[in-house]
Amino acid sequence: MDIKKEFFESWKNSVISVIDEKYSSSDKVMDMSDEEKILNYISYIRKCANHPFTVYESIQIKEMIPDNAREVYNKIKGRLIDGKGVVPYLSSQARKLRPDGLFNDWNILHLHLDEIHEANATENRTKETIHLQITNDSAYLIKIGTHGSGAYTDPEDLNIVKQNWPDLLASMPNVNVEEHMDSQLFEDRQNGIMTIPVATNHSGDKEAVLTNSLGYSTKNTSNRDLEILDRHIMPLLNSILETASTKMDNPDLLKKGDFHYYPENELFTYGFEEKGKFIALLEVNSKDFFEHAIYTCQDNLEFKI
């Protein structure tokens, strides 16, 4: 028995069980493979941005903020700085685990300039959106956008990033520049086809660039999320397992356990049933778990044995 593999598979199954229960009425989610569900869920967690960031604003966005949305704009900035996350401002599509071409392709997240809660979850959102890019410790507010045709394929997003923070878009000087029409780029994303983006630099020259998104698969899942799953979450779980094995009086009990995920309580538990009673061997705060896996990429996560 490979206990590390079983531990990892049990963790994945606990997340899939939550997804299946929450989205049981969504044909689009239920038609996804288990891997697609996991990766799209990690993508959703990344969009929640539950981590403190240093916030940077482009020169352009400061001139774009509508007066009637300035208060919400400042709230979003404050939540990013304080690590409170941006869940109230996410789109309904993000909540439905739908693939996001703008996010998967260019690593640009869009947030609405109004709040959404259970009471107004089905109402129309504002037309105005904030486009931003998030890295491990920084959030870059790019522009105020709007809904509509071409809203998420607009090369102006990349132009602003290149002109304000050139290091975020690596130049590819030996690649021929070929701009793509909005409609073609949208169609390519839908079909899982990646294209090399083009941005205009400070000098007004167009150049091929490389985003930090890592691209996406033909199933429209993010390669960044696959990296997080395989290279961050798996090692983090291995570290938890190794630490628990050294601290428990009877580490063989770990072979009997299964993970259970309770997102409403921000909790992962690992344990087993005995005589109708659940015996918890480990408890891990799920918010801390995902923050370690996505942002800090460290294996020093505290948990309860």
Side-chain angles (χ1 to χ4, degrees):
M1 176 183 180
D2 186 342
I3 189 170
K4 287 184 177 180
K5 181 180 178 181
E6 294 294 328
F7 201 65
F8 181 49
E9 291 299 320
S10 178
W11 178 87
K12 288 196 295 183
N13 289 336
S14 74
V15 177
I16 292 167
S17 293
V18 167
I19 294 170
D20 286 346
E21 181 177 355
K22 182 173 182 179
Y23 297 97
S24 59
S25 61
S26 169
D27 290 341
K28 289 191 176 182
V29 174
M30 299 312 294
D31 285 343
M32 295 177 184
S33 67
D34 285 349
E35 181 175 83
E36 289 174 80
K37 291 173 185 176
I38 285 278
L39 296 179
N40 286 324
Y41 187 79
I42 294 172
S43 190
Y44 169 74
I45 295 295
R46 282 201 293 137
K47 291 175 183 178
C48 294
N50 290 313
H51 179 73
F53 301 97
T54 301
V55 173
Y56 301 94
E57 298 168 274
S58 71
I59 295 170
Q60 291 86 344
I61 200 171
K62 294 176 182 179
E63 305 298 324
M64 295 178 172
I65 307 165
D67 289 339
N68 63 351
R70 191 168 295 275
E71 182 180 351
V72 177
Y73 177 87
N74 288 330
K75 275 187 181 181
I76 291 173
K77 275 179 58 179
R79 290 179 71 99
L80 288 167
I81 292 168
D82 295 338
K84 294 181 178 179
V86 293
V87 170
Y89 310 97
L90 290 174
S91 70
S92 59
Q93 297 301 301
R95 296 163 181 272
K96 295 174 182 177
L97 304 190
R98 300 286 171 79
D100 184 336
L102 180 64
F103 191 62
N104 290 349
D105 193 6
W106 294 349
N107 192 31
I108 292 176
L109 172 65
H110 81 275
L111 303 173
H112 288 263
L113 282 168
D114 65 349
E115 296 185 7
I116 189 169
H117 303 286
E118 291 300 322
N120 70 341
T122 60
E123 294 180 9
N124 292 329
R125 308 298 301 277
T126 57
K127 290 184 178 180
E128 293 81 13
T129 56
I130 298 178
H131 288 204
L132 66 155
Q133 186 167 122
I134 289 176
T135 61
N136 281 1
D137 296 304
S138 302
Y140 301 87
L141 308 190
I142 300 167
K143 75 172 189 181
I144 302 298
T146 59
H147 276 296
S149 178
Y152 307 123
T153 54
D154 186 357
E156 188 63 18
D157 285 275
L158 297 179
N159 296 342
I160 293 173
V161 172
K162 189 64 178 175
Q163 292 162 18
N164 285 267
W165 311 288
D167 291 344
L168 290 181
L169 292 174
S171 298
M172 303 173 69
N174 297 321
V175 176
N176 291 331
V177 174
E178 181 182 349
E179 292 189 87
H180 297 267
M181 299 294 292
D182 286 351
S183 58
Q184 182 61 48
L185 180 55
F186 177 80
E187 186 177 329
D188 285 345
R189 286 176 177 172
Q190 292 291 100
N191 293 322
I193 300 171
M194 291 183 59
T195 57
I196 298 174
V198 174
T200 302
N201 61 27
H202 245 311
S203 302
D205 299 323
K206 294 183 183 297
E207 54 184 71
V209 294
L210 190 64
T211 70
N212 57 11
S213 71
L214 300 184
Y216 48 92
S217 73
T218 54
K219 294 289 188 180
N220 285 302
T221 55
S222 165
N223 292 337
R224 173 71 68 188
D225 298 320
L226 181 60
E227 179 190 59
I228 289 169
L229 180 63
D230 288 346
R231 297 189 179 183
H232 300 172
I233 290 177
M234 185 187 292
L236 183 56
L237 288 168
N238 287 344
S239 174
I240 291 171
L241 183 61
E242 290 168 4
T243 301
S245 296
T246 60
K247 291 187 175 182
M248 288 179 60
D249 293 333
N250 186 3
D252 284 342
L253 290 175
L254 290 167
K255 297 177 182 178
K256 299 172 59 176
D258 282 302
F259 269 103
H260 299 269
Y261 179 29
Y262 305 98
E264 66 280 3
N265 297 324
E266 296 184 344
L267 184 66
F268 284 110
T269 64
Y270 183 81
F272 59 92
E273 293 277 347
E274 187 171 89
K275 297 180 180 179
K277 182 180 179 182
F278 181 75
I279 299 175
L281 300 175
L282 306 172
E283 290 185 354
V284 183
N285 181 283
S286 60
K287 181 176 180 293
D288 292 345
F289 180 90
F290 284 117
E291 187 172 9
H292 271 67
I294 295 170
Y295 301 110
T296 64
C297 302
Q298 299 174 353
D299 58 6
N300 59 345
L301 176 66
E302 293 184 2
F303 59 94
K304 182 180 178 181
I305 298 178

